[in-house]
């Protein structure tokens, strides 16, 4: 497994990270035993970056990760945790809280659930518009000084917010959606991150399954799967997006790789400062994603991919309107 560094100041991590959200929440039922086995397989393959959130399954995801790391070397895992998203007992979304004292409380609970004395990268899941980013980052900086967290990250913030945050304390990386179907960061956010020396951990690299090569129009989603409410999975939007996936799949077949591998490889090829996060929930899907390490894209490959899935080709927004309102990156 190759490694990349999260920005100028962040840790060295595997060139591919594993996002754990789907093992606990939002993508329908998951098998806990298979989830733990998948995390073990990732670690055995050299994957070090493990991304979770304290609100994934209301703490379940962190407890799952604790169980998976039991008996393993803590120092071989780079744990990235998002915090601040407020949820009700029915799973509803209630906003975001970035108040300094609350940040410390969130961290205290995460440390206990994870069974560790520090978190490698700690980041607000979304910007709390009622608390200046300088205050939020200032609180996190105090936690760095105290040794409870190693690095400060951000998630889904815009270029201006990123500049303000970096003026207070070094930011290791920005976690943000980036894929062939979601390229909004290329205009301002990615150039700003590079100017500031902030790495990018890219989630949604398969557009939540649309670019996996495994999605079909007839697939039924459970009530707990938020993709059932996502604009890109609705009606004609879904048909148009799957047509793009089919075009990508033809290029993948010609190259002797899978559609998913080509989609992940494209994200990885956009810069050494970008680390794709894959949301594999099974060992089989993980193995497919790990095969990306052997995929090399030529200039001709990249041009063909661009022609098949050009920027702005996706049909529908990446989130429903109510969720877009909470994304500083979209403002």
């Amino acid at each position: 497994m190759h490694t990349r560094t999260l920005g100028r100041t962040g840790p060295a991590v595997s060139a591919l990270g594993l996002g754990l959200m789907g093992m606990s929440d939002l993508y329908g039922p998951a098998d806990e035993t298979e989830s733990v086995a998948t995390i073990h397989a990732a670690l055995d393959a050299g994957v070090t970056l493990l991304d979770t959130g304290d609100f994934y399954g209301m703490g379940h995801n962190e407890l799952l990760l604790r169980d998976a790391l039991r008996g393993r070397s803590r120092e071989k895992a780079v744990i990235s945790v998002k915090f601040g998203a407020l949820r009700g007992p029915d799973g509803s979304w209630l906003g975001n809280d970035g108040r300094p004292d609350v940040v410390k409380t969130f961290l205290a609970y995460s440390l206990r659930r994870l069974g560790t004395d520090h978190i490698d990268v700690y980041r607000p899941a979304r910007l709390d518009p009622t608390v200046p980013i300088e205050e939020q980052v200032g609180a996190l900086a105090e936690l760095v000084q105290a040794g409870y967290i190693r690095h400060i990250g951000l998630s889904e913030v815009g270029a201006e917010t990123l500049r303000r945050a970096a003026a207070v304390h070094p930011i290791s990386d920005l976690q943000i959606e980036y894929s062939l179907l979601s390229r909004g960061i290329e205009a301002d956010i990615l150039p700003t991150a590079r100017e500031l020396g902030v790495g990018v951990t890219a989630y949604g690299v398969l557009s939540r399954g649309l670019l996996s090569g495994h999605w079909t129009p007839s697939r039924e989603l459970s009530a707990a799967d938020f993709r059932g409410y996502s604009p890109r999975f609705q009606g004609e939007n879904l048909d148009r997006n799957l047509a793009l996936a089919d075009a990508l799949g033809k290029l993948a077949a010609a190259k002797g790789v899978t559609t998913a591998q080509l989609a992940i490889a494209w994200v990885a090829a956009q810069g050494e400062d970008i680390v794709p996060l894959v949301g594999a929930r099974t060992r089989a899907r993980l193995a497919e994603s790990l095969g990306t390490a052997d995929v090399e894209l030529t200039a001709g490959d990249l041009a063909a991919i661009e022609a098949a899935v050009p920027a702005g080709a996706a049909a529908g927004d990446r989130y429903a309107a109510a969720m877009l309102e909470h994304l500083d990156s979209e403002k």
Side-chain angles (χ1 to χ4, degrees), residues 18-32:
L18 181 63
L20 308 183
M21 182 185 77
M23 296 178 180
S24 298
D25 212 357
L26 299 175
Y27 283 166
D31 181 272
E32 193 162 307

Side-chain angles (χ1 to χ4, degrees), residues 53-136:
D54 62 9
F55 54 95
Y56 293 167
M58 278 62 84
H60 175 270
N61 208 239
E62 290 178 319
L63 293 170
L64 181 74
L65 181 54
R66 179 201 63 189
D67 292 345
L69 291 177
R70 188 173 286 123
R72 299 274 177 152
S73 172
R74 169 67 179 87
E75 297 310 312
K76 291 185 178 180
V78 178
I79 300 176
S80 167
V81 178
K82 290 182 290 299
F83 70 89
L86 304 177
R87 301 186 68 181
D90 60 352
S92 58
W93 300 91
L94 307 175
N96 302 282
D97 197 335
R99 290 174 295 166
D101 287 344
V102 177
V103 168
K104 297 172 183 177
T105 301
F106 283 136
L107 176 65
Y109 280 89
S110 284
L111 291 172
R112 177 60 64 91
R113 283 190 293 263
L114 288 164
T116 184
D117 63 356
H118 73 280
I119 290 173
D120 298 287
V121 185
Y122 200 52
R123 70 183 85 240
R126 298 289 186 265
L127 181 68
D128 180 350
T130 69
V131 181
I133 189 63
E134 290 84 357
E135 292 184 18
Q136 296 182 53

Side-chain angles (χ1 to χ4, degrees), residues 131-287:
V131 181
I133 189 63
E134 290 84 357
E135 292 184 18
Q136 296 182 53
V137 173
L140 292 170
E142 292 178 10
L143 295 171
V144 171
Q145 294 168 1
Y148 293 117
I149 63 178
R150 298 287 188 263
H151 305 278
I152 299 172
L154 293 173
S155 177
E156 287 289 356
V157 300
E160 179 184 353
T161 300
L162 188 58
R163 286 187 186 281
R164 291 168 54 196
V168 176
H169 189 278
I171 304 298
S172 65
D173 66 302
L174 171 64
Q175 189 173 119
I176 196 164
E177 186 171 356
Y178 189 36
S179 73
L180 279 164
L181 296 185
S182 296
R183 297 177 60 176
I185 72 170
E186 293 176 344
D188 297 312
I189 295 175
L190 184 56
T192 300
R194 287 174 167 162
E195 175 190 338
L196 298 172
V198 176
V200 169
T201 43
Y203 76 87
V205 292
L206 296 180
S207 294
R208 300 175 179 81
L210 285 174
L211 296 177
S212 67
H214 305 295
W215 201 274
T216 62
S218 60
R219 180 170 174 174
E220 294 186 5
L221 299 174
S222 70
D225 194 322
F226 92 102
R227 288 172 293 192
Y229 308 97
S230 171
R232 290 185 177 172
F233 288 80
Q234 307 300 315
E236 293 183 359
N237 285 350
L238 177 61
D239 294 337
R240 290 168 58 189
N241 291 329
L242 288 180
L244 294 172
D246 287 343
L248 185 67
K250 291 177 182 177
L251 296 178
K255 196 170 176 63
V257 301
T258 70
T259 306
Q261 288 170 340
L262 193 60
I264 297 168
W266 180 87
V267 175
Q270 302 313 299
E272 289 291 320
D273 53 349
I274 298 173
V275 176
L277 294 172
V278 297
R281 300 195 291 172
T282 66
R283 285 167 285 182
R285 290 288 183 259
L286 174 68

